[in-house]
Structure formats: structure tokens, C-alpha cells
Amino acid sequence: MNNLVRVTRDNDVAVITVDNPPVNALSPGVPQAIEAAIDEMNIDPAIKAAVIIGAGRTFIAGADIKEFGKMTSGATPRRTLLPFLLHIEDSVKPVVIAIHGTAFGGGLELAMAGHYRVASPTAQIGQPEVKLGIIPGAAGTQRLPRLVGVAKAVEMCAEGKPVSAPDAAALGLIDSLIDGDLLSGAVAFARGIADKPIPKTRERTTKLGTATDNAAVFAAARDAARKKQRGMKAPLAAIDAVEAATRMPFEEGCQAEQKLFTECLFSDQSKALIHVFFGEREVGKIPDVPKGTPVIAVNRVAVVGSGTMGGGIAMVFANAGIPVLLKDVDQAALDAGMGKIRKNYASSVQRGRFTQQFVDERLQSITPVLTYDLFSDADMVVEAVFEGMALKKSVFAELDRACKPGAILASNTSTLNIDEIAEATSRPEAVIGTHFFSPANVMRLLEIVRGKKSSKEVIATCMQLSKKLGKVGVLVGNCRGFVGNRMFGPYRREAQFLAEEGAEIEAVDRALVDFGNAMGPLATGDLAGLDVGWRIRKEYRHLEKPGIRQPFAEDRLCELGRYGQKTTKGWYRYDENRRANADPEVAALVRKWSAEAGIPQRQISAEEIVDRCIYALVNEGARILEEGFALRAVDIDIIYLNGYGFPAYRGGPMWHADTVGLQKVYQRICEFHQQHGELWAPAPLLQRLAESGKTFAEFDKEHALAA
Ligand code: 3H9
């Protein structure tokens, strides 16, 4: 035994407790110790059965994900858990698995090698490996269909979504749900089955279905995977592996699974998704705001502005069980805002996302108001009024008067200077940016904008709150556009330039969608409203350097009233179902405007479209990183994955650049610099990293060490 696994006795039952915090992963040492405990039990005449349980908050949440990077880099040899699991399954005395918290990945695979499974009703059970770009690699794809049937196994392995313990019990994955103390229930269960024959999952075949039924299941699953997990390899590999379970004996099926698992493990997609897994956790770590920084209790919130953003933000708080005051200037605006919220909720009920009761309760917790009278109760206010400095300042001056000391005063601005807004109050330490993304109740990203004077307490509260709201909070500095939109500017600029240089509008969008983005850059403009950028550009025109090329097509489209989806015309023409259709009128206009501007027209490849748009993101990201407006390259990645539809399997723009190779990216940017001028000046950090053969990931590591 070792300190990762404890063995105790409850009379005639051995209790094997895995104690490998935080999530009892199957790190090296854990399987060996469990195996030794099973061997010991089998030769001890006083013991009739064993229970395997997890210490702390969870059962085994999977293989140790940190080990995968070591294996693919060659630092440690490739390990397999298959013989270990066979060892459990071949135990001559029964092994009962007791599950609480999560039995994920290798944890579920271990559970299925046990002879019986019992669980707390709140437990979650699943094979989430595809989210890491891999598939179950310890016979999960072989044992699961034998317990739950082929269709459910395909769904669980290819989509990665867990099932609740009660659902798992209904499926036959769990033998008994245990209310109350799990361990005593599991021990009693073990005593009850100790003298019965020992069922082995791998020997079961009754749920493996017929070839005809299975063919339809696999075809439908492949179809769904290609649509819903577009571009991802692991879901298709998972389906192949489950199919192997239906066509081959167990041992051969395991070999097929191993082959697919290994291909996935060594793929760029898996490396990217593992980077994302750790990145999502890393962004919560702020070097100068350590764990344990005091936080403010946020029990009541107020939102100023009931427009699309304000309404969405109110829903976010209401959904998290936090009562909200929603303020607007007149009854008509407030009624319209509440109407939109009701409509959004109604459609969530229709789609089965929420129950009517949940929605009724949420709606009750949103109180529409026309004055600041009740704001003195709020622990936090989020301002979401129209984007304009004068208006924001007057709102913050009002908030300063109306709110209690200690309340957080947050702005949802996407472009304006937080420090300038903070100056309108007598308490700049309470002011911070909370930049939600549209639609606020759907998008996971929350950029938390740190002002010069934002207090650590306020920052720590917002970071913690983001989790409660179901968001990924990323702390960013106060520069124009913050991190996400500052990078989005050059990205969309290039998309427009490409159209102005002769690329077809649909070809620009198609290239980026084929790259994996949720939407093309021009279609995204239509969705957000082209007039938004147009207004901002007009406000900042005085800052543009003379002689530097600016895109013009969108401004001209706006001058013609083509604001995008909201006016049914933008880059595209939209039908009543908001479906985009190519518009020959726009193509002709762009050609005419380009000719007038003397821009030579040429054929442009999909590869150039992708390089121009994506490397524009990377170059700006490198500047942001060097200037310290993002804490780490991975923070930029997480922003792009959760707020801008960047494909997770590419790991985010900075990780993607590392994967391509920074030398190659830098060279291409130098070419663009020569061809297109100053806008493409390579970021000094990118140049340094490329010249020294380093990556953004290494930059992050070096910075973490230095901090
Ligand atoms: C697998 O099993 C493959 C198999 O088929 C076998 C093949 C041979 N490993 O998320 P949290 C860390 S693949 C290493 O904040 P929560 C995490 O980084 C695996 N570390 O907590 C964090 O560290 P830190 C399949 C892990 O309560 C800390 O634990 N399994 C692992 O919000 C707390 O994590 C999965 O994909 C791990 N497996 O959520 C499950 N898991 O504090 C992945 C977590 O230093 N894990 N850490 O930042 C999860 O989904 C969530 O962590 C869980 C807890 C729901 C368990």
C-alpha cells in the first residue's frame, strides 16, 4: 500500500479508500495499491468482499490528465490500465464500487470492472474523454455498451455528457442507490452479495444489440457528431470503438480501442483540449490576488439598463438564484426589457432547458424599477446602459450617491476606459468592469476588467462570482477593447480587407468556418450589428493615424442603412428565418468601391484568408500579452474559446500559433508586413519568441515561475 490508498476492515468486508486529492485521479501508484489490496483480500479467509470508495468530495474522476502530456512528450512511458482492471474483474471475491461525486473516465472504467456498483443519488457518472480530444482508453467503450446498451454507450462516449446516478440506475449501470451514509450502505450491500455468483461485465453480451439495429445507431451518431462536434476527431473515434465492441470479442475490442485511443492521445486536438482543460482552471489564479483574499457576499444585485445586454445580465443573476433590481429610465423601456426577458425564458421552456416553475421563480426574482431608491440594498450593481462616456459617468455618479459603502460598482462597457468611469465616483476601488458577451445568458465568457484602483477584494469577488454565474471569468487589463475586442478589431479588419481585395464575401466566411470557427467574421458583423463598430469608429476617428489603410466597406454599408441582421441586410441578405443569402448587390458595390479606391483585385486562397485573419489575432494577442493586459497567453485562449467561437480543438489563437510553430507564424506576418504595411508590424514578443525557438506556453511557464 502507499499513502494514496488506504485499506481498512469492516468485519468481513475490506474497505479500499482511494485518497489522492483533489479528485482521486488514477495517478501512478493508485492502481498498483488497489491491485495489492485486492490480492490481499483474496488470500485473507476472514474477508468476504471488498468495497472501493473515494475519500473526500468524489470517487475517482478519471486518469491523471497531467500524465498524458508526459506520455506524449516521451517523458514517461505509455501506461495502460487494462491489466489492472482485468485484475479487479478477475478477483475471486466480489468487489463493490461505491460512487459519490463523480465517477468519470478511468473512474467509471474502474467501476465497470468491479462486480457491483452502488452510488449516492447525487453522483454523476460519465465518459467525458472526448472533451479532452481522446476516447475512453481502459475498455470504457467495451464495457459500457455491455451494461447500458449500444445507443446509450455511443451517446455517453461520443458526447461526453454525464448521467445522474438515478438515470444510471435506470440504465443498469448502477445496481443500487444509497441514501444516507454511502460507505455503510456499500458495506451492507457487499455483505448481501458476498455469497452470490460474481458477474463480470466483460462476459455480458445481452445488451450488445443486433447488427441491423446497431447500424442505424452508429450512422445517426456519426451524423450528429459531424454536425454538433464539427471538426473533432475523438467523437468519431469513440463511435468506432463502441462499434468494435459490437463486432468483436472483448479482448479484440480492447485492442481496437487502444489503437484509436493512442491515435487520439497523440493528436494535436487532444493536446489542445488538455491545454484548454488546465487553462480554464489556470485563469482563476491571479498572482497578486491569492486564494483566501476576502470576498464580498453578493446576495442582491441591481442592473442599470434593460436593453438586450442588461436584460440578459439580469437573467444570469436570476438563474443563479440572486434577486435582481432591473432599472431603466422610463416605463416603456422597462416594459420592453421585461418583455424580452419573458420571451427568452418562454423559449427556454419550449426547448426543454428550464421548467415552467424554474422560470416563474426566476421572473419573480427580477424586480423592474424606475428609480435608484432600492439600490441601497444591492451588494453589486452592473451598469449596462448605452455605450457613451458621458452617460456612463452620470450613471456612476448616481450609483455613488445611491449605493451603500462596500457595494461593487461594475460596468458592462465593452470599449470604454474603466478608470475614467471610476473617476465619476468617490470610490474608484469599488469600480470594475464586468464585460458580458451577447447573449449574456448564453455566452460563458466574462471579461473582468481591472481598473487602476479596483481593490483585490472586488477582483476576488468577481472572479468567484463568475463561477457561481456559470461563467468563465478572465481578468484583463484596462486597454481599449480590453483583450477580446481589441484582438477582434484586427481580425475583422483583415476580413474586410480581403473582401476589398477581391475575395468573395462568402469565401471569407467559409474559410474561417472550415478552420473551425463558429461563424465567419463578416457574418458575425451582421449578427452583432455593423452599426456598432461604425459608431465606435466615428467616435475614435481622431485617433487614426493618417496614411494608414482603413477598411471602408462596412462603413459604406452602414451609410446605406445595411446594419446587418436587424435591418435584414448587411454583408448578406436575410430571409424571415434569419438565414443568410449571398447578395450580388453587395458584391458589386464592394467591387465598385475597391476600384474607386484603386485596390487591385486578385484571386485569394482560403489559406491566405485564414492566415491573414488568424495571425492578425495572434499578433495583437502577443502585444496584449507583452503589455500585460492579459496575464497569460492561455487567458487569451480561454477568452477566444468562450467568447468568440474559436474552435476548442485548436486550443485558442495563441496555442494554435504554438502548434503551427512561432517561426512559421512570424515569417508569414513579416510577409504581410511587407505586402500590407505598418498594420502588420510584428509584435516584438512574437519576434523574440520566434527567434529564440520558444512558444507562448513556455512564456507562460517562465512568467509563472518569475511571479
Ligand atoms: C481518462 O480518464 C482516460 C481514461 O479513459 C483512461 C485512459 C488510460 N487529472 O475542475 P476542478 C484537477 S481522462 C488531473 O477545479 P471541480 C484540476 O486541474 C480523464 N487533475 O474542480 C484542479 O487542479 P487545480 C477523464 C485533475 O470540483 C483540481 O483538480 N476525466 C483531474 O469544479 C480541481 O478541479 C475527466 O475528464 C484529472 N482527471 O470539478 C474529469 N480532474 O486546483 C476531469 C481535475 O490545481 N475533471 N483535476 O487547478 C472534471 O471534470 C472536474 O475536475 C471535476 C471536479 C468534475 C472532477
Side-chain angles (χ1 to χ4, degrees), residues 51-54 59 96-100 116-120 182-183 186:
V51 168
I52 303 182
I53 193 166
F59 184 67
V96 175
I97 310 292
I99 300 170
H100 72 297
Y116 296 93
R117 288 150 294 280
V118 300
S120 298
L182 177 65
L183 179 57

Side-chain angles (χ1 to χ4, degrees), residues 22-23 25 57 61-66 68 81 102 104-106 109 128-129 132 134-138 261 277-278 281 285:
V23 297
R57 58 176 161 148
D64 188 337
I65 302 169
K66 287 194 281 305
F68 293 143
L81 293 172
T102 48
F104 279 177
E109 289 171 307
E129 285 89 342
L132 301 171
I134 54 175
I135 66 166
F261 172 80
F277 176 83
F278 287 115
R281 282 143 187 91
K285 295 169 190 159

